[in-house]
């Protein structure tokens, strides 16, 4: 079937679905949607590889909804007809939101439930008892519900989707997935969506798919240099803080920005450092409750915040063998009462999440493998939007840079990281300010900030959950970028003195404000001159002088 140039209205979709697509402003399907939707509607299994931001979610969501609407014309019985497996809770929430948007005009006929986000199985049981048409969840959560007999799939399931398939094994879902597949019917239609086709995806293909159509739509995993500009700066630890301060405070980096660091501790260290200069930023990591994480992402997409400091916490830091995975699981069990106690093993923001209109990605800590770099940088330059990726690279991180450059140049010569033309000597004047700020960001301050943030977000997430359900407007007012203030704040660091701004940057730093200041100075000078002229005229002693002649004493005597 030739699908070149197919539009949504030519795919035989339900009018209610077409109306929802029009409301979303999707005039034309993306390449993956154009190729995948007609094949899926024919009932074929699909293995689709397309880069991040290419519209993979809608590529499987549209045929799912269409086939459920078609089957309901003949079969009225309510049952779970489609299962969407995702590697992270954040992605689960996003997929549910997308399906709800697409079913805006047929929500009574097609119901969707996300069971990945909540911790309590009993709270989700009533939702599953209603037998939603589409269930979205992580493999471990779905398996838990099957074991608890809250969910039955062996008789009703018609379609299975595995989103971000290359991540499922790396997130430790191998055993859950294999166990889950035993509870599925013998015949069902399956879709595997992935940004890469690695060994894990090939293993999944053998387990799940039957005579699939393979779609490899983009050779490069990242957009070319006309859409995505990638730069690197070689600098040491102290210089990283100096650079990020200069770029953000002088507004050299503009638009929404994701700053990736390697650990949770680094998240709070950087947040406290930026607080010293009145630069607000949100923290996003695995210790925060899932409701808070999803709320932060939603508000960032709506434009509430400009900066998010996020971490992937080594989750995507390179391929692991099955023996390494079992060793890691053993370590996790041993350390479950220690450092990993509050962390969510189903957390992930560097991959899959659709951050809207991200202009820049800053790798404050450089990732240790090419896959992790691609996943991070893939948050910007999505769809047809331009983006910039800037990486800070210390001496220790140079081998990782070489690995990433080899992987990218293997993909395309366009993808290599270019040196960022920034003269460090021009910002030396700011170094003493950064050192002054770093003195306040002690280990104890970071620890206190971490505890304060978790307590605050737990309160917002759980205790106020019912209140926010009744008062949704108040939820919009809830902010996540407030100052934590466990460190001593020095007020003088808030402002940037004019004499510290490098000459080369003076035209770039707030040019509108500088123009206003110049106008105000000129206006003030004009007022002074005009008022001086008026005062000069009215108080000129030569013009105002009145001479009165004094009479001699003899004359006065005669008169008297």
């Amino acid at each position: 079937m030739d699908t070149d140039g197919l539009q949504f209205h030519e795919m035989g979709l339900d009018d209610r679905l077409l109306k929802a697509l029009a409301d979303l402003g999707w005039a034309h399907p993306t390449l993956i949607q154009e190729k995948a939707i007609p094949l899926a509607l024919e009932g074929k299994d699909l293995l689709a590889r397309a880069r991040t931001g290419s519209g993979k979610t809608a590529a499987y969501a549209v045929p799912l909804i269409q086939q459920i609407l078609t089957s309901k014309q003949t079969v009225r019985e309510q049952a779970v007809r489609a299962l969407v497996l995702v590697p992270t809770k954040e992605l689960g929430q996003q997929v549910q939101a997308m399906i709800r948007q697409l079913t805006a005009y047929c929500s009574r006929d097609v119901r969707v439930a996300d069971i990945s986000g909540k911790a309590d199985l009993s709270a989700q049981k009533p939702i599953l008892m209603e037998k939603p048409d589409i269930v979205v969840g992580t493999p471990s959560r779905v398996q838990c519900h099957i074991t608890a007999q809250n969910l039955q799939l062996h008789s009703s399931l018609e379609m299975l989707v595995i989103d971000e398939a290359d991540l499922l094994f790396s997130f430790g879902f191998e055993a859950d997935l294999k166990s889950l597949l035993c509870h599925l019917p013998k015949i069902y239609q399956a879709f595997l969506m992935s940004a890469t086709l690695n060994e894990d995806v090939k293993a999944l293909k053998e387990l799940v798919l039957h005579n699939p159509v393979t779609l490899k739509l983009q050779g490069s995993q990242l957009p070319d240099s006309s859409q995505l500009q990638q730069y690197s700066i070689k600098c040491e630890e102290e210089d990283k803080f100096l650079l990020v301060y200069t770029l953000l405070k002088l507004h050299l980096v503009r638009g929404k920005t994701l700053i990736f660091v390697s650990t949770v501790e680094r998240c709070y260290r950087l947040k406290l450092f930026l607080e010293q200069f009145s630069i607000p930023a949100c923290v996003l990591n695995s210790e925060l409750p899932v409701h808070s994480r999803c709320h932060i992402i939603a508000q960032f997409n709506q434009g509430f915040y400009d900066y998010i400091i996020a971490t992937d916490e080594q989750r995507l830091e390179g391929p692991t063998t099955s023996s390494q995975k079992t060793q890691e699981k053993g370590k996790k069990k041993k350390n479950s009462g220690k450092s990993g106690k509050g962390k969510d093993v189903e957390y992930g923001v560097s991959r899959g999440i659709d951050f809207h209109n991200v202009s820049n990605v800053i790798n404050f800590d450089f990732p240790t493998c090419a896959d992790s770099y691609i996943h991070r940088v893939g948050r910007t330059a999505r769809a047809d939007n331009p983006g910039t990726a800037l990486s800070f690279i210390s001496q220790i991180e140079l081998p990782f840079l070489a690995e990433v450059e080899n992987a990218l140049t293997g993909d395309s010569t366009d993808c290599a990281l270019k040196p960022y033309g920034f003269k460090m000597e021009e910002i030396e004047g700011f170094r003493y300010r950064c050192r002054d700020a770093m003195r306040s960001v002690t280990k104890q301050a970071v620890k206190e900030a971490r505890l304060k943030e978790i307590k605050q977000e737990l309160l917002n997430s759980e205790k106020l959950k019912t209140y926010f359900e009744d008062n949704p407007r108040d939820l919009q007012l809830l902010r996540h970028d407030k100052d934590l203030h466990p460190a001593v704040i020095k007020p003088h660091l808030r402002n940037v003195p004019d004499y510290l701004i490098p000459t080369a940057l003076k035209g770039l730093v707030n040019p509108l404000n500088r123009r206003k200041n110049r106008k105000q100075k000129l206006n003030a000078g004009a007022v002074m001159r005009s008022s001086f002229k008026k005062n000069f005229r009215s108080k000129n002693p030569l013009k105002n002088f009145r001479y009165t002649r004094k009479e001699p004493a003899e004359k006065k005597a005669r008169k008297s």
Side-chain angles (χ1 to χ4, degrees):
M1 179 180 177
D2 184 17
T3 60
D4 287 343
L6 266 184
Q7 301 301 309
F8 285 121
H9 67 272
E10 297 173 315
M11 294 179 184
L13 300 177
D14 191 282
D15 288 343
R16 291 167 289 180
L17 195 47
L18 289 172
K19 198 173 179 185
L21 289 166
D23 285 355
L24 288 167
W26 297 355
H28 309 286
T30 63
L31 186 60
I32 180 71
Q33 291 162 5
E34 182 187 317
K35 301 293 182 184
I37 292 172
L39 291 167
L41 292 174
E42 288 177 10
K44 293 180 179 176
D45 284 10
L46 291 180
L47 172 58
R49 175 205 164 175
R51 67 170 173 244
T52 183
S54 59
K56 291 197 296 288
T57 306
Y60 66 74
V62 168
L64 283 193
I65 296 163
Q66 178 60 42
Q67 297 208 48
I68 290 168
L69 288 171
T70 304
S71 66
K72 284 206 169 182
Q73 291 174 2
T74 53
V75 182
R76 292 288 176 186
E77 186 186 352
Q78 187 63 33
V80 177
R81 288 182 165 81
L83 175 64
V84 181
L85 296 177
V86 291
T88 67
K89 293 174 181 178
E90 291 86 358
L91 185 54
Q93 293 254 350
Q94 182 181 297
V95 169
Q96 183 196 39
M98 171 62 72
I99 293 172
R100 281 190 173 162
Q101 285 178 309
L102 291 170
T103 57
Y105 297 101
C106 55
S107 54
R108 288 185 179 181
D109 293 316
V110 183
R111 286 180 285 167
V112 60
D114 173 32
I115 58 170
S116 59
K118 298 171 187 175
D120 193 8
L121 287 177
S122 59
Q124 294 174 340
K125 186 176 178 179
I127 300 167
L128 293 174
M129 293 302 284
E130 292 179 5
K131 296 182 179 179
D133 299 282
I134 304 171
V135 170
V136 181
T138 58
S140 59
R141 181 44 59 102
V142 172
Q143 180 56 36
C144 286
H145 279 293
I146 290 172
T147 307
Q149 297 185 340
N150 299 336
L151 182 63
Q152 292 182 349
L153 302 169
H154 62 272
S155 59
S156 63
L157 192 79
E158 296 170 5
M159 290 163 284
L160 171 69
V161 177
I162 300 179
D163 200 359
E164 302 293 351
D166 51 341
L167 284 191
L168 284 176
F169 283 1
S170 64
F171 270 59
F173 289 134
E174 188 173 359
D176 290 317
L177 191 60
K178 286 178 179 176
S179 176
L180 192 155
L181 291 173
C182 298
H183 297 277
L184 301 185
K186 287 184 180 179
I187 299 171
Y188 55 85
Q189 186 180 6
F191 311 131
L192 256 64
M193 318 301 286
S194 178
T196 58
L197 296 180
N198 57 20
E199 293 302 317
D200 287 344
V201 177
K202 288 173 185 174
L204 264 178
K205 175 186 171 183
E206 299 299 321
L207 284 170
V208 175
L209 301 178
H210 308 281
N211 298 322
V213 176
T214 303
L215 298 174
K216 295 181 186 177
L217 298 179
Q218 279 102 355
S220 171
Q221 294 174 51
L222 290 173
D224 59 30
S225 57
S226 63
Q227 187 180 353
L228 173 66
Q229 295 181 315
Q230 300 174 74
Y231 299 102
S232 63
I233 302 179
K234 291 175 184 175
C235 56
E236 288 314 310
E237 179 67 7
E238 186 182 77
D239 295 337
K240 287 185 177 187
F241 288 91
L242 175 60
L243 269 166
V244 80
Y245 158 71
T246 308
L247 292 171
L248 300 186
K249 192 66 182 176
L250 301 186
H251 303 286
L252 302 177
V253 167
R254 299 188 182 188
K256 288 199 218 172
T257 304
L258 288 176
I259 306 169
F260 278 103
V261 294
S262 56
T263 63
V264 177
E265 188 266 346
R266 296 276 281 175
C267 271
Y268 290 101
R269 185 169 292 279
L270 184 55
K271 178 176 170 67
L272 293 181
F273 172 77
L274 294 176
E275 271 183 22
Q276 298 283 320
F277 305 103
S278 295
I279 302 172
C282 297
V283 163
L284 199 57
N285 60 64
S286 63
E287 290 184 338
L288 300 177
V290 66
H291 295 298
S292 294
R293 298 197 308 254
C294 293
H295 190 242
I296 289 166
I297 294 165
Q299 287 199 321
F300 179 77
N301 287 342
Q302 290 165 23
F304 282 69
Y305 317 119
D306 285 331
Y307 308 122
I308 284 183
I309 304 168
T311 172
D312 51 19
E313 298 169 49
Q314 310 299 317
R315 190 162 297 285
L316 299 167
E317 300 300 325
T320 53
T321 63
S322 56
S323 60
Q324 285 173 327
K325 285 171 193 168
T326 51
Q327 284 174 8
E328 283 172 12
K329 282 182 185 177
K331 283 179 187 176
K332 280 177 189 174
K333 283 178 184 176
K334 285 179 186 176
N335 298 331
S336 60
K338 296 178 187 176
S339 60
K341 188 178 178 182
K343 293 186 179 180
D344 188 344
V345 294
E346 294 176 2
Y347 159 83
V349 295
S350 71
R351 177 69 182 278
I353 300 303
D354 187 13
F355 290 100
H356 297 173
N357 304 317
V358 176
S359 300
N360 315 285
V361 167
I362 296 177
N363 285 312
F364 189 83
D365 294 323
F366 198 70
T368 58
C369 74
D371 275 354
S372 185
Y373 177 84
I374 289 164
H375 301 154
R376 288 181 181 187
V377 172
R379 300 306 96 216
T380 187
R382 295 173 74 84
D384 296 323
N385 298 320
T388 304
L390 179 60
S391 299
F392 301 162
I393 299 151
S394 65
Q395 193 69 29
I396 304 166
E397 294 167 330
L398 284 174
F400 307 138
L401 173 65
E403 184 191 334
V404 167
E405 285 186 322
N406 287 337
L408 293 181
T409 48
D411 249 353
S412 164
T413 50
D414 240 357
C415 286
L417 280 74
K418 297 169 186 172
Y420 188 63
F422 199 90
K423 295 177 182 177
M424 292 297 291
E425 59 270 17
E426 288 189 346
I427 58 170
E428 275 301 313
F430 295 120
R431 191 176 292 276
Y432 82 93
R433 294 183 140 238
C434 291
R435 285 177 179 168
D436 199 12
M438 285 306 293
R439 286 189 197 102
S440 301
V441 187
T442 59
K443 282 186 180 179
Q444 186 60 30
V446 171
K447 187 179 177 182
E448 287 174 16
R450 201 165 162 179
L451 285 169
K452 183 179 177 182
E453 178 90 340
I454 293 164
K455 285 177 185 175
Q456 193 172 297
E457 292 300 340
L458 279 170
L459 181 71
N460 293 339
S461 180
E462 297 301 327
K463 291 186 181 177
L464 300 181
K465 188 177 137 191
T466 51
Y467 172 79
F468 286 135
E469 282 173 2
D470 297 332
N471 302 274
R473 288 186 181 178
D474 289 0
L475 186 62
Q476 294 300 316
L477 301 174
L478 179 67
R479 294 189 69 88
H480 302 270
D481 62 347
K482 291 178 181 175
D483 290 352
L484 291 171
H485 285 318
V488 178
I489 299 290
K490 300 178 178 70
H492 71 279
L493 295 176
R494 182 175 299 182
N495 303 314
V496 182
D498 202 51
Y499 66 85
L500 279 180
I501 299 171
T503 312
L505 300 177
K506 281 191 176 179
L508 295 171
V509 179
N510 292 338
L512 292 174
N513 290 350
R514 302 184 78 75
R515 233 174 275 155
K516 280 180 190 174
N517 292 342
R518 208 176 296 129
K519 267 188 180 180
Q520 285 169 1
K521 282 179 186 175
L522 288 169
N523 292 341
V527 169
M528 283 177 70
R529 280 195 296 275
S530 61
S531 61
F532 175 74
K533 282 178 183 176
K534 286 175 186 174
N535 292 338
F536 185 77
R537 282 170 189 161
S538 59
K539 296 180 182 179
N540 187 346
L542 295 175
K543 291 185 177 181
N544 294 338
F545 182 72
R546 297 285 181 270
Y547 174 72
T548 51
R549 186 182 173 188
K550 286 185 180 181
E551 293 181 4
E554 293 175 6
K555 270 190 177 183
K556 279 184 180 179
R558 279 179 201 161
K559 281 180 182 178
S560 59

